[in-house]
Amino acid sequence: MSSVFDASDLSWIDELADNDFIVIDNFIPLDKLSSVHQIFQRLIEQDELKKAGIGSIDYQVVSEVRGDFIHWIDQSETAELDFFFDKIEEISAQLNRYCFLGLKSREFHFALYPKGSFYEKHLDQFQERNNRMISIVFYLNENWKEGDGGELKIYQDKGDTIVKPLANRLVLFKSDIIEHEVLPTATSRKSITGWLLRKPPGLGFLS
Ligand code: OGA
Ligand code: MN
């Protein structure tokens, strides 16, 4: 089995700088991955996921645009995720060190796309709030197979890329320039999605 991601091996930074997005497989060890699954399952059972909206100031739920259900992560409530966030912190520190992004905080949520849902093509920076610098999606779909749908489509002038939402896969992209879309999913689709921010969340922490 190939080894898990090591943020100190800087090849990923070059690739992100050149390509504006990067796909990292084997992000965390399998035992940690199973505890992330358990947390997600617990949140679903406790009905903690709510229909997501769009925008920051005039936040609206528009099912024709995005159909996912989300739960914002309060890290103090979920110590089991410390391992995941330690790795995210290493990524953030390396980006500050080598790319001078000035990342200061982060915001992450669980996301569940029920069968038939999608998220139309969009950018992750809001017009009224541009502190999202790097978008991160960590997929949790064990046994995903062709036909299950829910792929991430990344739009670029040089050509589009389709990313399969495979368990233990992390995708990073530049929030200000990468237009992207979640294709309709034929099965329920799970992820942890978040953003590295250059200023504190402050304005319109979405819930
Ligand atoms: C988002 C988003 C992509 C994905 O939540 O803004 O684009 O693959 N998610 O889940
Ligand atoms: Mn997005």
Side-chain angles (χ1 to χ4, degrees):
M1 210 196 82
S2 44
S3 54
V4 295
F5 173 70
D6 173 7
S8 66
D9 168 1
L10 296 176
S11 51
W12 66 273
I13 295 238
D14 291 333
E15 196 182 333
L16 181 63
D18 289 348
N19 226 4
D20 302 332
F21 81 93
I22 181 174
V23 177
I24 296 167
D25 284 316
N26 286 314
F27 186 59
I28 57 177
L30 293 182
D31 57 323
K32 307 283 187 195
L33 187 61
S34 71
S35 63
V36 177
H37 280 298
Q38 283 168 20
I39 298 165
F40 206 143
Q41 205 48 46
R42 197 173 68 213
L43 289 168
I44 293 172
E45 281 159 18
Q46 294 170 348
D47 201 21
E48 291 283 352
L49 284 101
K50 307 291 174 215
K51 194 85 173 57
I54 51 171
S56 66
I57 289 175
D58 55 347
Y59 185 77
Q60 302 166 44
V61 171
V62 186
S63 303
E64 302 78 47
V65 176
R66 72 184 285 192
D68 56 329
F69 288 71
I70 63 172
H71 176 83
W72 288 100
I73 298 172
D74 174 349
Q75 221 188 310
S76 62
E77 285 172 3
T78 33
E80 303 106 303
L81 291 176
D82 283 354
F83 182 84
F84 173 79
F85 284 114
D86 286 349
K87 305 257 299 182
I88 296 294
E89 208 41 59
E90 285 170 26
I91 286 178
S92 183
Q94 297 290 49
L95 288 169
N96 279 344
R97 188 177 212 181
Y98 294 100
C99 306
F100 309 104
L101 289 188
L103 302 169
K104 293 220 162 48
S105 61
R106 58 175 182 245
E107 53 188 10
F108 276 79
H109 61 57
F110 283 96
L112 177 69
Y113 285 74
K115 181 178 175 180
S117 61
F118 52 84
Y119 193 159
E120 279 187 352
K121 183 176 173 183
H122 64 281
L123 264 185
D124 283 347
Q125 275 200 357
F126 300 117
Q127 273 165 2
E128 35 332 313
R129 175 181 161 227
N130 63 1
N131 60 340
R132 288 178 167 178
M133 302 298 285
I134 299 287
S135 301
I136 297 180
V137 194
F138 180 60
Y139 297 109
L140 295 165
N141 306 299
E142 301 291 346
N143 309 317
W144 185 95
K145 57 186 186 313
E146 215 61 58
D148 283 352
E151 295 93 340
L152 172 68
K153 181 169 181 179
I154 290 181
Y155 290 85
Q156 287 178 301
D157 290 344
K158 63 185 172 190
D160 304 335
T161 305
I162 301 283
V163 180
K164 297 172 185 177
L166 302 177
N168 214 4
R169 167 171 279 182
L170 188 89
V171 180
L172 251 81
F173 56 88
K174 296 183 186 170
S175 308
D176 56 340
I177 52 173
I178 291 287
E179 287 192 293
H180 58 283
E181 168 180 11
V182 177
L183 299 176
T185 184
T187 57
S188 79
R189 173 199 198 263
K190 293 178 190 161
S191 61
I192 294 178
T193 306
W195 294 272
L196 304 181
L197 311 174
R198 70 176 166 199
K199 283 179 247 148
L203 233 196
F205 185 76
L206 313 178
S207 56

